[in-house]
Amino acid sequence: MKVSINWLKEYVDVSIDMGTLKTQFTEHSQEVDSIHPLVQVRDIIVGHVLTCEPHPDADKLSVCSVDIKLNTVQIVCGADNVAASQKVIVALPGAVLDKGLVIEPTTIRGVESNGMICSLTELGIAQKYHGETGIHVLNDDAVIGSSALETLALDDVVMTLDLTPNRADLLSMHGVAYDVGAIFNKPVSIETPSVTYGELKNPMTIKTQTDACMSYYGAVIDDLVIKESPSWMKTRLIAAGIRPINNVVDITNYVLIETGQPLHAFDFDALNSETIVVRNAVKDETFVTLDDKKRHLEPQDIVITDGQKAVALGGVMGGAATEVTRETKSILLESATFNPITIRKTSSRLDLRSESSLRFERGIDPKKTQFALMRACALLVEHASATVRQNTAFFDYNDLKDKVLRLSLVKINHVLGTNLDVSMVQSVLNRLQFDFEMTQEVFNIKVPTRRQDIQTYQDLIEEIARLIGYSQLPETLPLNRTVGGLSPYQAFKRSIRRALIGLSLNEVINYALVDLDRNNDLTGKPTNNMVFLANPLSEQHQVLTLSPLNGLMDVLSYHRARKMNDVQLFEIGKRYTTHKETETLGIALMGHYQPQAWKAHQPIDFYTLKGIIQALFESLNIQEVTYDKTELDAYHPHQTAWIKVQSHKVGHIAKLHPTTARRYDLEDVYVCELNIEKLFKYKTPKVDYQPVQRYPQMIRDVAIALKEDIASKQVIDAIQDLPFTALKEAFVFDVYQGEHLDEDKKSLAIRLVFEDSTQTLEADMIDQHMRVVADTLVNIFDAELR
Amino acid sequence: MSTQAQINALEKALEKELNMCQKFAELNDIKAQYLGKKSQLTDLMKAMKDSTPEEKRELGQYINQAKSTFNAMIEAKKTALEAASVRAKLNQETLDLSLPGPDYTLGQSHVLTQIIESIEDLFVGMGYVIKEGPELESDAYNFEKLNLPKDHPARDMQDSFYISKHTLLRTHTSPVQVRTMLEYGGKKPVKIICPGKVYRRDDDDATHSHQFMQIEGLVVDKNTTMSDLKGTLRIVAEHLFGAQREIRLRPSYFPFTEPSVEVDVTCAQCHGAGCPMCKHTGYIEILGAGMVHDAVLEASGYDPKIYQGFAFGIGVERLAMLKYGIEDIRNFYINDLRFLKQFK
Ligand SMILES: [Zn+2]
């Protein structure tokens, strides 16, 4: 809402510094976006063109002598509409025009020019508001030498409000005046319009067949003289952001901004009957709107009809057939109220949003419907020489009574945490001009119909709080005794993050909405439980991701495209399917892990990632982990495994298949996906404390050669299955293939650690154990001792 | 020559030989030569047997003294040779100390995670628990129970991503508040914050993102006041933007709160004097808040005649942008490590 301060002054005293108005209105009512002069020009005056001759040396220029009262100046003018005897806007040397342009004396093609004759655009009025291409020609009654700004009533200030949707009342000058009055404790005076009627009687009958039209007032006005509106009215409309057209259109717009009530004028002679019937549109009904477009209507739309045919789309747009033209002599002027939801649906479906539909959507003060019509009639009489027929035709089913709400002082203070007394609340209600009665610190407050947003006691508390000022609220903290904290699961997620950060991985956050191909990529085939948007904005973001790995691929590609090749990432995201959202960890690695710039180093391989996962599990106390080799589309056929905890599948680890990698312009990429919820479920819940062993360990190694396709885990399992109580652990510490071994063989070096909590171990017994180990391995795996 | 003179001569000779000696092997030879069984000192000792007991005692003293002197000299040389040998070995181990060490790095959490965790910790310290909920939400939880009935302008189909008629991607984390209140059964005090991803049907540009992070807070109890809200938000503002911040509450509108306020914090750049960063207002808008609407309490099973409370909602990206002067919201989701690594 753009508010002309000059206009506002008609209702309330605004002799306040503009900076104060801005901050006070922002702190007590609604945010003021800006407050600044309508035009930023200085020292422009009214001149009278005495003579206007062609420039001797330039086709398109004229040399004018201009009377500016004190003397006559010569000005070279480039506009083709300049002519002798015009009253014009003159900027003399020293004057400042829009965008800070300072006028200086100059010589144009050998002819002296001591100023400039101005267009409205040069004053800072955008062309869309006046449509003029040349200089602006003033009315003949403009006083030579006087201020051109005052003559045009452009010496105004505009306050732009950023309104929240509830404050429909502030979509009118009257509403803004009430709030300014309440904030600054000033009286507000709004005159009730008085109309002088003519001889003729209004012949119209008006009725409705739909609940969606709550009231309808219609006045018939004759003898219209259509012409330009007075300067002050045009300026106020421009300040409000509306282009002046002619007096009839301008008056309806003026009253709209003033009261918040939209009006619509029909060419009375174009109406076919003396009846107006409001009804819902019927199936397949069409209607040609003012903009000459044929509209297909739906039963929820409201149409204004002449009893048969639609003549307007109620609250949204008039019809081409009854449009007011320059030839119009009589009009039917409509002031009505409609169901806000209906108007919103129709205007948004047809993309016909306007100042009118906006106000209908937000809700109108039902008391303003008749008021606005009378106000427009009075203005038409005054500015269009019109005659108003007697008896306004109408129906009105609106509740015009003020709502009464009950609110106690105790409740106000209990909600706000304040110590307000009765007089402070009374003062606010008086400033708001809300009538009230009070008994024993309980208020019965009459909320005027202009404040449709106030529905409950909570709304009233807000009125009191905002006008007293939130700066007056104390700062306290809730007194309730509660224990804060992270849930074990939330703490678990944080532990995952800490561990991976410690392992040098970086966290990323990706969009959950991805494109369809991407979702199929890593699974290798389409999945049918994906979650699709019904109304996506683009293909790129049309379906919810099945894995955080999807987004991680993009981040890897992004870095590789920028020559950053050593990248290790993780994301705690979700897998979204039609029946479940599962919190999921994704890890993706490429390049070198902990790279060392000038030293030889190994690229990341399968075991790098496995080591990271082992360390993660170790830190999370996740035990009994196995890696079961598998084959999945999109992954390397020999470097893919399910990760299982206590035999439950919790995720997978894999190298991307080169074909998959190539799709993202990547090469060697290792990924891991883990179901966080399952990890949490299968983690070992508590610490099982064991005293540190007092007796020394015994360490023995065994080296064997065996078939290369025997997994080391099988060998370790076989050792651990032996009935040695003292065997603490067994692990592979060296793997060898190559020289001195058959091609299909590998050599494993295994270390066994023995320990006894009660005594020092006997070397003989351990040697005995090692012989059993050797025999076992030879027997089971056809291994050869080395 | 007297024995004494012979010993002196021997000491001179030993000193000379030790000066010349460079190797441990030579030193062993020298030791044998001067202190061994065939050394001149031994000879002198043997020669003593013809002397008187008095002479014997005197000579014995001389010889023993000489022995320990020689020994000390040889030991000193040995220490010196050892030091030289270690030094020679270390001389093979020169390094270019200006070369960098390996690039051991810790990873780090995303800047949005950093801010969320920091706010979570602040509130946990004030007795709040953290509540999370689904991103695919029903219309009832996302809108209806939050006083946004059907046909409310704020739930325009165009503004939300719908999955089906009744399911959408949540547009705020407020549904978690409703879920928690229902879970608590309308009885015990609620003191929660709800962080998480939310979605709006916006085209991505420098200031809009179709996905973003929100943290909402909710306190409901019998005596929770708007002053409590203000005091809490002051702590949040100081936690995020440093001590000595003023906050300003000004009227606003949200369907789920009444009164509703927009909360500004004094500009970090100009401390309220006005500058381009705060558009010359001295304040920067950081969050929206208010007292919970009775209709929301009722829909969530709390009796508004007994309970009241406050709620607030923070846009995490916006906070990060204000805190660090980040120019484009899309940076958070590009995940360029050169961007992410800056936030320690
Ligand atoms: Zn500032």
Side-chain angles (χ1 to χ4, degrees):
Chain A
M1 173 78 179
K2 292 179 162 189
V3 178
S4 149
I5 298 297
N6 283 347
W7 194 347
L8 190 61
K9 283 176 181 165
E10 281 196 7
Y11 319 111
V12 63
D13 175 10
V14 206
S15 51
I16 314 153
D17 155 63
M18 288 298 116
T20 309
L21 178 60
K22 185 180 181 200
T23 44
Q24 293 294 301
F25 204 83
T26 298
E27 285 177 19
H28 297 286
S29 180
Q30 295 272 290
E31 188 174 4
V32 177
D33 251 4
S34 64
I35 186 160
H36 53 68
L38 177 61
V39 293
Q40 306 261 21
V41 302
R42 252 191 7 241
D43 303 335
I44 55 166
I45 55 172
V46 176
H48 186 211
V49 182
L50 299 175
T51 61
C52 179
E53 305 295 336
H55 189 289
D57 201 18
D59 286 352
K60 293 185 172 168
L61 299 180
S62 310
V63 181
C64 307
S65 66
V66 183
D67 175 9
I68 53 164
K69 191 177 176 193
L70 288 177
N71 56 355
T72 302
V73 292
Q74 176 171 296
I75 296 174
V76 175
C77 183
D80 44 18
N81 66 330
V82 69
S85 83
Q86 285 172 338
K87 295 274 180 72
V88 294
I89 305 162
V90 177
L92 293 175
V96 181
L97 296 187
D98 190 41
K99 301 193 173 87
L101 176 72
V102 181
I103 303 301
E104 285 168 8
T106 173
T107 305
I108 300 168
R109 295 217 170 192
V111 178
E112 222 177 89
S113 179
N114 286 307
M116 186 165 153
I117 300 176
C118 307
S119 69
L120 289 176
T121 309
E122 282 155 344
L123 302 188
I125 307 280
Q127 220 220 346
K128 65 174 177 179
Y129 291 121
H130 54 77
E132 297 175 1
T133 47
I135 58 157
H136 181 68
V137 181
L138 296 166
N139 288 342
D140 284 343
D141 58 4
V143 179
I144 299 167
S146 66
S147 159
L149 276 189
E150 281 175 29
T151 305
L152 291 166
L154 290 174
D155 53 341
D156 202 349
V157 174
V158 182
M159 175 166 77
T160 306
L161 303 178
D162 190 0
L163 296 180
T164 55
N166 59 324
R167 291 300 303 272
D169 60 309
L170 296 179
L171 285 168
S172 70
M173 293 303 299
H174 289 170
V176 175
Y178 276 115
D179 243 26
V180 168
I183 294 166
F184 296 98
N185 198 13
K186 302 257 170 100
V188 177
S189 67
I190 290 167
E191 271 178 49
T192 308
S194 72
V195 183
T196 321
Y197 294 96
E199 298 287 310
L200 292 176
K201 292 228 160 51
N202 185 340
M204 302 300 296
T205 340
I206 293 175
K207 52 191 178 197
T208 185
Q209 295 169 354
T210 171
D211 292 346
C213 178
M214 290 88 72
S215 66
Y216 196 115
Y217 292 79
V220 177
I221 299 149
D222 305 309
D223 309 328
L224 290 166
V225 179
I226 295 187
K227 58 180 182 184
E228 251 183 84
S229 302
S231 292
W232 60 266
M233 187 180 285
K234 287 200 282 186
T235 297
R236 287 177 182 187
L237 289 175
I238 290 170
I242 293 172
R243 178 181 176 168
I245 309 286
N246 59 46
N247 53 355
V248 174
V249 177
D250 292 355
I251 285 167
T252 58
N253 283 330
Y254 188 84
V255 173
L256 163 80
I257 300 296
E258 188 177 56
T259 64
Q261 169 69 57
L263 302 174
H264 180 69
F266 298 92
D267 187 328
F268 184 66
D269 298 320
L271 288 171
N272 289 327
S273 76
E274 293 181 342
T275 312
I276 288 288
V277 178
V278 187
R279 61 161 167 83
N280 285 105
V282 292
K283 201 167 178 292
D284 297 328
E285 187 167 0
T286 59
F287 176 63
V288 180
T289 44
L290 271 178
D291 51 6
D292 286 323
K293 287 194 179 133
K294 188 174 178 180
R295 309 284 179 174
H296 294 270
L297 305 184
E298 289 187 7
Q300 65 181 16
D301 301 330
I302 308 163
V303 286
I304 314 296
T305 70
D306 57 8
Q308 265 128 51
K309 286 197 329 298
V311 290
L313 199 45
V316 176
M317 201 182 238
T322 56
E323 186 180 358
V324 175
T325 66
R326 291 203 76 88
E327 283 70 48
T328 300
K329 290 289 169 237
S330 299
I331 56 172
L332 168 69
L333 193 57
E334 162 202 297
S335 183
T337 53
F338 303 99
N339 181 317
I341 294 165
T342 309
I343 300 294
R344 179 161 61 86
K345 285 184 172 162
T346 302
S347 67
S348 69
R349 191 187 80 244
L350 300 175
D351 201 15
L352 284 174
R353 295 222 143 137
S354 63
E355 294 284 347
S356 295
S357 70
L358 172 70
R359 284 165 178 80
F360 281 127
E361 285 174 28
R362 300 248 172 117
I364 286 169
D365 175 4
K367 278 195 186 136
K368 279 282 151 66
T369 314
Q370 190 183 11
F371 180 105
L373 185 64
M374 293 303 105
R375 172 69 171 148
C377 288
L379 286 169
L380 286 167
V381 169
E382 191 178 346
H383 298 287
S385 321
T387 313
V388 183
R389 295 199 198 180
Q390 294 173 22
N391 300 342
T392 304
F394 75 98
F395 64 82
D396 195 335
Y397 303 117
N398 275 313
D399 181 4
L400 299 174
K401 281 203 300 291
D402 293 340
K403 184 185 283 112
V404 178
L405 294 173
R406 194 181 137 91
L407 179 61
S408 72
L409 182 67
V410 172
K411 187 74 178 175
I412 297 169
N413 283 322
H414 183 62
V415 169
L416 296 177
T418 46
N419 270 313
L420 303 179
D421 59 30
V422 164
S423 67
M424 292 164 99
V425 176
Q426 285 172 327
S427 153
V428 168
L429 295 174
N430 287 329
R431 280 154 61 191
L432 284 164
Q433 303 199 20
F434 289 3
D435 289 337
F436 62 91
E437 286 163 6
M438 190 194 68
T439 36
Q440 303 205 318
E441 303 196 334
V442 175
F443 298 85
N444 280 306
I445 302 163
K446 263 189 174 173
V447 182
T449 54
R450 63 185 154 85
R451 293 301 305 275
Q452 297 280 306
D453 58 313
I454 299 178
Q455 296 290 334
T456 72
Y457 79 92
Q458 284 185 297
D459 301 315
L460 278 172
I461 290 177
E462 174 164 67
E463 291 301 299
I464 291 156
R466 76 176 174 100
L467 285 167
I468 283 172
Y470 291 113
S471 62
Q472 303 303 308
L473 277 190
E475 290 178 8
T476 54
L477 288 176
L479 288 173
N480 41 22
R481 288 193 290 175
T482 50
V483 179
L486 301 182
S487 71
Y489 179 68
Q490 287 161 348
F492 180 75
K493 280 194 285 181
R494 283 205 184 183
S495 301
I496 292 176
R497 204 176 264 126
R498 296 286 165 274
L500 292 175
I501 287 168
L503 288 162
S504 121
L505 271 60
N506 286 290
E507 187 192 23
V508 300
I509 299 175
N510 284 297
Y511 294 132
L513 287 165
V514 297
D515 80 18
L516 179 59
D517 291 342
R518 177 60 44 90
N519 237 0
N520 289 330
D521 263 1
L522 291 183
T523 53
K525 51 178 165 272
T527 319
N528 52 16
N529 57 356
M530 276 191 266
V531 185
F532 285 90
L533 291 184
N535 58 343
L537 273 175
S538 66
E539 270 189 23
Q540 206 186 343
H541 305 297
Q542 60 167 327
V543 60
L544 283 162
T545 192
L546 287 172
S547 169
L549 294 179
N550 286 327
L552 287 167
M553 291 305 107
D554 287 330
V555 184
L556 289 185
S557 298
Y558 172 93
H559 285 89
R560 195 169 141 92
R562 286 161 183 78
K563 307 276 180 268
M564 290 178 273
N565 295 321
D566 301 324
V567 179
Q568 292 96 48
L569 307 170
F570 75 95
E571 178 173 10
I572 293 181
K574 278 181 179 175
R575 169 185 172 83
Y576 303 84
T577 61
T578 42
H579 54 278
K580 203 169 181 314
E581 292 170 37
T582 313
E583 285 204 287
T584 304
L585 169 67
I587 297 177
L589 316 178
M590 69 174 185
H592 295 84
Y593 184 63
Q594 296 288 24
Q596 306 183 37
W598 48 273
K599 288 184 130 183
H601 47 289
Q602 292 285 315
I604 285 168
D605 63 15
F606 185 86
Y607 298 109
T608 315
L609 178 52
K610 194 170 171 187
I612 288 169
I613 296 166
Q614 284 167 198
L616 172 68
F617 283 2
E618 172 79 29
S619 77
L620 298 173
N621 207 19
I622 290 170
Q623 300 172 3
E624 294 178 51
V625 184
T626 50
Y627 296 82
D628 291 0
K629 190 169 181 300
T630 184
E631 280 188 45
L632 294 172
D633 294 332
Y635 294 138
H636 191 297
H638 299 294
Q639 297 192 21
T640 302
W642 294 121
I643 302 173
K644 291 182 179 171
V645 177
Q646 295 165 22
S647 306
H648 302 284
K649 201 189 279 180
V650 296
H652 66 261
I653 174 174
K655 180 179 186 177
L656 278 200
H657 195 285
T659 317
T660 316
R662 211 173 302 125
R663 273 205 293 274
Y664 300 94
D665 293 317
L666 295 170
E667 273 175 18
D668 296 326
V669 173
Y670 296 88
V671 298
C672 166
E673 187 189 279
L674 290 164
N675 179 325
I676 297 173
E677 291 162 26
K678 282 192 182 166
L679 283 184
F680 181 69
K681 190 170 165 193
Y682 300 125
K683 88 187 182 88
T684 304
K686 40 178 203 226
V687 173
D688 179 18
Y689 170 73
Q690 297 294 329
V692 173
Q693 295 303 323
R694 286 160 57 210
Y695 298 97
Q697 294 179 330
M698 277 199 155
I699 293 170
R700 291 285 192 278
D701 294 344
V702 60
I704 51 171
L706 73 175
K707 279 256 168 52
E708 66 172 349
D709 57 3
I710 298 172
S712 63
K713 174 132 195 321
Q714 288 176 264
V715 179
I716 299 293
D717 284 348
I719 294 172
Q720 278 170 340
D721 282 345
L722 292 169
F724 303 153
T725 49
L727 180 62
K728 171 96 170 133
E729 58 177 330
F731 58 90
V732 173
F733 72 94
D734 191 35
V735 180
Y736 175 79
Q737 264 181 297
E739 238 184 296
H740 312 302
L741 273 176
D742 291 347
E743 216 166 65
D744 62 343
K745 291 268 175 86
K746 66 179 169 188
S747 153
L748 292 180
I750 299 163
R751 178 156 294 168
L752 287 81
V753 180
F754 296 92
E755 184 178 274
D756 190 320
S757 58
T758 56
Q759 59 185 330
T760 304
L761 291 163
E762 298 281 339
D764 284 352
M765 183 187 81
I766 300 304
D767 291 342
Q768 172 71 33
H769 283 357
M770 288 310 291
R771 282 193 289 277
V772 176
V773 166
D775 291 347
T776 307
L777 296 184
V778 167
N779 287 336
I780 299 180
F781 301 111
D782 193 18
E784 182 189 328
L785 292 177
R786 287 169 60 84
Chain B
M1 213 193 306
S2 73
T3 309
Q4 181 67 59
Q6 285 182 48
I7 289 172
N8 285 346
L10 273 175
E11 191 177 328
K12 286 243 160 51
L14 174 60
E15 194 179 341
K16 200 176 164 194
E17 281 204 55
L18 286 176
N19 279 341
M20 310 259 289
C21 172
Q22 298 293 339
K23 290 176 180 160
F24 283 105
E26 286 172 16
L27 190 65
N28 286 337
D29 289 349
I30 293 168
K31 190 171 180 180
Q33 190 186 333
Y34 285 87
L35 292 166
K37 282 186 181 135
K38 289 177 182 164
S39 68
Q40 293 190 44
L41 269 186
T42 314
D43 291 348
L44 284 172
M45 198 79 113
K46 283 176 188 161
M48 260 181 358
K49 65 176 185 281
D50 302 329
S51 308
T52 64
E54 210 154 272
E55 283 171 335
K56 265 190 194 168
R57 205 176 62 230
E58 198 183 342
L59 281 174
Q61 259 177 12
Y62 281 142
I63 291 167
N64 280 335
Q65 208 173 343
K67 262 191 185 167
S68 75
T69 305
F70 290 7
N71 235 328
M73 287 166 75
I74 290 165
E75 279 307 309
K77 181 66 188 182
K78 193 178 167 193
T79 308
L81 278 182
E82 275 167 359
S85 132
V86 168
R87 176 74 208 199
K89 190 163 170 258
L90 295 184
N91 283 346
Q92 304 301 310
E93 299 172 8
T94 57
L95 288 181
D96 176 356
L97 300 187
S98 68
L99 278 174
D103 291 342
Y104 297 143
T105 49
L106 291 179
Q108 60 177 63
S109 52
H110 195 284
V111 58
L112 296 176
T113 307
Q114 292 176 24
I115 291 185
I116 290 171
E117 287 193 354
S118 142
I119 294 175
E120 284 176 351
D121 292 347
L122 174 76
F123 278 98
V124 163
M126 293 195 287
Y128 289 65
V129 293
I130 301 165
K131 286 285 181 178
E132 296 166 289
E135 292 163 37
L136 287 163
E137 200 34 287
S138 73
D139 193 275
Y141 285 113
N142 195 75
F143 291 131
E144 260 167 64
K145 289 179 191 293
L146 289 161
N147 198 29
L148 281 142
K150 289 232 156 44
D151 293 324
H152 193 285
R155 48 182 292 188
D156 201 315
M157 178 86 182
Q158 292 308 306
D159 301 333
S160 315
F161 284 123
Y162 276 85
I163 308 300
S164 63
K165 196 152 182 275
H166 299 294
T167 313
L168 71 162
L169 287 176
R170 66 179 178 193
T171 58
H172 43 198
T173 59
S174 313
V176 183
Q177 303 184 347
V178 176
R179 286 171 177 273
T180 305
M181 282 192 276
L182 289 170
E183 174 198 329
Y184 285 7
K187 296 226 160 41
K188 56 178 183 171
V190 183
K191 210 168 167 189
I192 58 169
I193 58 163
C194 315
K197 289 174 183 156
V198 300
Y199 304 83
R200 302 269 166 95
R201 199 167 175 273
D202 275 332
D203 282 312
D204 295 338
D205 63 24
T207 53
H208 295 85
S209 182
H210 72 272
Q211 172 185 320
F212 59 100
M213 295 281 191
Q214 215 184 27
I215 299 182
E216 295 200 336
L218 173 73
V219 179
V220 174
D221 204 346
K222 290 170 185 162
N223 299 303
T224 307
T225 68
M226 193 151 188
S227 298
D228 293 342
L229 169 65
K230 192 178 174 192
T232 303
L233 294 178
R234 166 68 162 270
I235 287 175
V236 176
E238 293 196 342
H239 176 75
L240 291 167
F241 295 99
Q244 311 299 318
R245 287 297 137 176
E246 294 296 327
I247 59 166
R248 176 175 79 167
L249 273 54
R250 56 186 166 77
S252 188
Y253 170 72
F254 307 107
F256 23 87
T257 50
E258 189 69 43
S260 299
V261 287
E262 211 66 66
V263 182
D264 302 333
V265 62
T266 40
C267 173
Q269 207 84 29
C270 64
H271 302 280
C275 73
M277 183 170 161
C278 56
K279 293 181 194 143
H280 303 283
T281 60
Y283 289 97
I284 286 176
E285 186 182 317
I286 54 166
L287 55 88
M291 296 301 287
V292 183
H293 200 288
D294 281 0
V296 176
L297 289 173
E298 248 166 60
S300 307
Y302 276 75
D303 183 352
K305 289 195 179 65
I306 303 168
Y307 285 95
Q308 60 185 41
F310 65 74
F312 59 87
I314 304 173
V316 182
E317 283 83 352
R318 186 177 155 71
L319 272 193
M321 289 169 88
L322 289 172
K323 191 174 162 83
Y324 298 111
I326 296 164
E327 73 293 354
D328 193 323
I329 197 169
R330 287 168 293 198
N331 284 336
F332 296 110
Y333 296 96
I334 290 173
N335 294 298
D336 188 323
L337 289 177
R338 295 167 300 182
F339 171 80
L340 293 177
K341 285 280 193 180
Q342 293 178 48
F343 308 103
K344 306 294 183 192

